Amino acid sequence: FSAGVGQQGHDHLLHRLHDLQHCFLHIPPLEIAPLAAELELPISQVEAVIDFYSFFHRTPRGRIDLLFSNCTSCGDLTLMHRLCELLGVTPGITRADGAVSIDETSCLGMCDQGASALVNGRILTKLTAQHLPSLAALINAGTPLDDWPAEWFAVQDNIRQTGLLLSDNMPAGAGLRAALQGGAENLLAEIKQSGLRGRGGAGFNTSLKWQLCRAAPATPRYVVCNADEGEPGTFKDRVLLNSYATQVFEGMALCAYAIGAQHGYLYLRGEYRYLLPPLEATLNEMREANLLGANILKQPDFHFDISIVMGAGAYICGEESSLLESLEQKRGVPRVRPPFPVTHGYLGQPTVVDNVETLVAATHIAVHGGEWFRAHGTAQSAGSKVLSVSGDCTAPGIYEYPFGISVQDLLEACGGQDAQAVQVGGPSGALIGRAEFGRKLAFEDLATGGSIMVYGAQRDLLAVVRNFSHFFAHESCGFCTPCRVGTPLLRKYIDKIASGHGTPYDQAEMARLAMVVKRRSHCGLGQTAANPVLDLLERFPQVCTERLLHQDYAPFFNLDAALNTSRELTHRDDAEAHLS
Ligand code: SF4
């Protein structure tokens, strides 16, 4: 029944590149052609993939390669700079002895457990300044990672509030048994009745997605679980994959049963590599229990199995069409839509791409029925939402509430009552102030894929928005001009204002540019990249205006300082060699 299955997890180009990177600390040029030949891919495609994903490098990284998160919740770059000083390292440049390299990276999904970093692909959490001398000593001594303190690598679930999904870690197979009893049509009817909408943020109707895929004439069909949660501030899928993996895989199997698929992929973000072995162990247990594989639960016509493919540090691959490109061993560039994945998805075949939490919800609906789910939440947002809460609150972690909870109630639950602002839905969502804390978390009001970032009174919101604008400029895939050019320009304007050199003209230009990026970009990344800037200007105008210069124009850089090299070359430093 494996006919029609694409590249399996371990033979996937991304996995082979991960192996090369791990083994040689970079991708050696001489390995590229043989790899391309073995995987029957054009060399140009392999080269393009190497350049696209930030976890692959053309020049060797250090034997210890540290990447510090630069997220406003799980990042602290002062730690990175301090460690660089201790070790004599320049960020981004491997130390001459090859022992260590240090750089920054986007959010690692550890926003509920202090400052974090990746070391050779393994997560370090709760980092503080006290760790740095020991960290530097271990690195200088060449101590293997397995001999570092185990508690440094601990990742907690931090589940603070359970609800419909998290309070019931049901026995494996419960959803499948219930669904098989009623049949595929009945399962689809229950999903429809439930009103389930996609939990990744967009909120597309799940039953409609499954129906459209099932109705697509082409076969084979595929199920893809989008576990590439990369939105800064989001970490709920990490917890679902760690503690509710059976329900995630069962949700994929249920979808396969409904649409008639025989193979599925879980696309795991590269930052969660530590979850790969336990996830594969869960898959094996499910195969042994006949919950995956051929003739699932003895059904003669129900065959389905799952491969895991791991991403490599590209936020854009959380966008479903980019994810499919990445699954197809290409650069993760968003596709032109339509056609949509339900008819032309993985390998051009009908494909359902669902978020981790959506699939967990589907498993629960299969057991308890659509009515049970529909009875919670709001009219347009049925059921519950698993929220990742981080930032300036006393109890960051995972909270599950029925849709419709107000921001204020959530702040009280997490100890964030003193917040001046909350970023709902991550940087691509909405930045709101106290006047709007009465608003509801629901698709019809404040939609969120799960990220809730709390900012206390002491936070500099300009620094927050500056961080987000750097994030988007870094993560733009470069495919379309408004985003490729616009996001770095937005970053420049914010940098200029933050440095105290912005003028009212700059602010007006930034606002104009933000609308161009929002309206003209090809995919969701560009269309939302300007949201933090626009929200800041609309809801917190004083944050920018109080830093503006009272003059018409100021250059982006110090023109006189820029002439230093010329003065040195011409051995001149007289008054006429300077701009007045
Ligand atoms: Fe790529 Fe940005 Fe254009 Fe999306 S909007 S296709 S991320 S350049």
Side-chain angles (χ1 to χ4, degrees), residues 197-369:
R197 297 171 66 173
R199 274 17 187 183
F204 192 81
N205 182 297
T206 301
S207 75
L208 181 59
K209 186 187 280 188
W210 291 16
Q211 295 271 16
L212 289 170
C213 191
R214 176 185 164 96
T219 56
R221 305 187 187 107
Y222 294 100
V223 180
V224 174
C225 173
N226 184 346
D228 193 47
E229 71 172 348
E231 189 74 37
T234 314
F235 49 89
K236 48 106 185 164
D237 291 346
R238 181 199 86 209
V239 173
L240 293 173
L241 292 166
N242 187 49
S243 297
Y244 299 82
T246 309
Q247 292 174 37
V248 178
F249 292 136
E250 211 169 319
M252 292 178 73
L254 288 166
C255 177
Y257 181 57
I259 68 170
Q262 293 200 343
H263 205 88
Y265 291 91
L266 183 132
Y267 188 94
L268 180 68
R269 75 179 300 216
E271 290 82 348
Y272 294 169
R273 185 198 295 188
Y274 74 99
L275 288 172
L276 188 58
L279 286 172
E280 293 204 315
T282 302
L283 284 177
N284 282 332
E285 285 166 18
M286 291 180 72
R287 287 179 191 121
E288 281 165 20
N290 193 212
L291 299 173
L292 288 174
N295 303 115
I296 290 174
L297 293 176
K298 298 196 171 59
Q299 292 290 305
D301 301 322
F302 184 21
H303 319 298
F304 179 69
D305 212 334
I306 296 169
S307 307
I308 301 176
V309 170
M310 202 167 59
Y315 165 74
I316 186 61
C317 290
E319 195 275 343
E320 66 174 3
S321 69
S322 311
L323 186 153
L324 293 172
E325 290 286 295
S326 185
L327 266 188
E328 292 182 13
Q329 311 185 88
K330 301 179 202 156
R331 299 185 308 141
V333 173
R335 294 176 179 173
V336 174
R337 298 182 301 175
F340 293 96
V342 283
T343 56
H344 297 76
Y346 179 57
L347 301 175
Q349 298 297 121
T351 304
V352 164
V353 184
D354 271 335
N355 174 261
V356 172
E357 185 185 344
T358 313
L359 293 162
V360 170
T363 303
H364 284 260
I365 292 165
V367 173
H368 300 294

Side-chain angles (χ1 to χ4, degrees), residues 29-270:
L30 290 176
E31 297 288 336
I32 294 172
L35 178 62
E38 189 191 334
L39 298 181
E40 299 180 7
L41 297 171
I43 291 176
S44 58
Q45 185 172 330
V46 177
E47 297 271 8
V49 165
I50 294 167
D51 288 335
F52 187 83
Y53 296 88
S54 66
F55 284 0
F56 304 137
H57 302 279
R58 296 284 189 173
T59 54
R61 305 292 291 178
R63 290 187 291 283
I64 292 293
D65 186 29
L66 268 156
L67 292 173
F68 280 80
S69 166
N70 59 19
C71 164
T72 62
S73 286
C74 65
D76 184 348
L77 292 185
T78 59
L79 297 180
M80 181 188 84
H81 292 298
R82 181 73 193 111
L83 187 64
C84 283
E85 281 169 23
L86 289 173
L87 289 166
V89 172
T90 304
I93 298 176
T94 303
R95 202 168 75 177
D97 63 0
V100 55
S101 51
I102 300 176
D103 210 341
E104 60 183 278
T105 190
S106 300
C107 176
L108 292 174
M110 299 292 146
C111 306
D112 54 336
Q113 33 215 308
S116 61
L118 275 178
V119 55
N120 294 2
R122 292 170 64 174
I123 292 278
L124 290 171
T125 57
K126 296 185 181 162
L127 287 173
T128 65
Q130 280 75 50
H131 288 95
L132 299 182
S134 335
L135 196 48
L138 289 169
I139 292 170
N140 278 332
T143 308
L145 290 190
D146 286 341
D147 295 335
W148 289 22
E151 65 271 20
W152 291 6
F153 299 99
V155 178
Q156 310 292 336
D157 275 355
N158 287 329
I159 298 174
R160 311 274 186 184
Q161 172 72 39
T162 60
L164 283 191
L165 308 183
L166 302 184
S167 60
D168 181 8
N169 210 340
M170 57 181 59
L176 275 168
R177 286 193 177 86
L180 292 178
Q181 240 175 16
E185 290 286 355
N186 185 60
L187 172 64
L188 276 166
E190 292 295 339
I191 299 289
K192 185 175 182 185
Q193 173 65 31
S194 73
L196 177 63
R197 297 171 66 173
R199 274 17 187 183
F204 192 81
N205 182 297
T206 301
S207 75
L208 181 59
K209 186 187 280 188
W210 291 16
Q211 295 271 16
L212 289 170
C213 191
R214 176 185 164 96
T219 56
R221 305 187 187 107
Y222 294 100
V223 180
V224 174
C225 173
N226 184 346
D228 193 47
E229 71 172 348
E231 189 74 37
T234 314
F235 49 89
K236 48 106 185 164
D237 291 346
R238 181 199 86 209
V239 173
L240 293 173
L241 292 166
N242 187 49
S243 297
Y244 299 82
T246 309
Q247 292 174 37
V248 178
F249 292 136
E250 211 169 319
M252 292 178 73
L254 288 166
C255 177
Y257 181 57
I259 68 170
Q262 293 200 343
H263 205 88
Y265 291 91
L266 183 132
Y267 188 94
L268 180 68
R269 75 179 300 216

Side-chain angles (χ1 to χ4, degrees), residues 316 319 322 332-335 472 475-485 487 517 520-527:
I316 186 61
E319 195 275 343
S322 311
V333 173
R335 294 176 179 173
F472 285 119
E475 297 294 347
S476 167
C477 82
F479 170 74
C480 69
T481 308
C483 173
R484 182 184 65 247
V485 178
T487 51
V517 175
R520 301 292 176 206
S521 290
H522 170 64
C523 83
L525 187 153
Q527 289 157 13

Side-chain angles (χ1 to χ4, degrees), residues 564-574 577:
N564 270 346
T565 310
S566 306
R567 281 192 290 268
E568 280 168 24
L569 288 172
T570 54
H571 304 291
R572 285 189 57 184
D573 199 22
D574 55 284

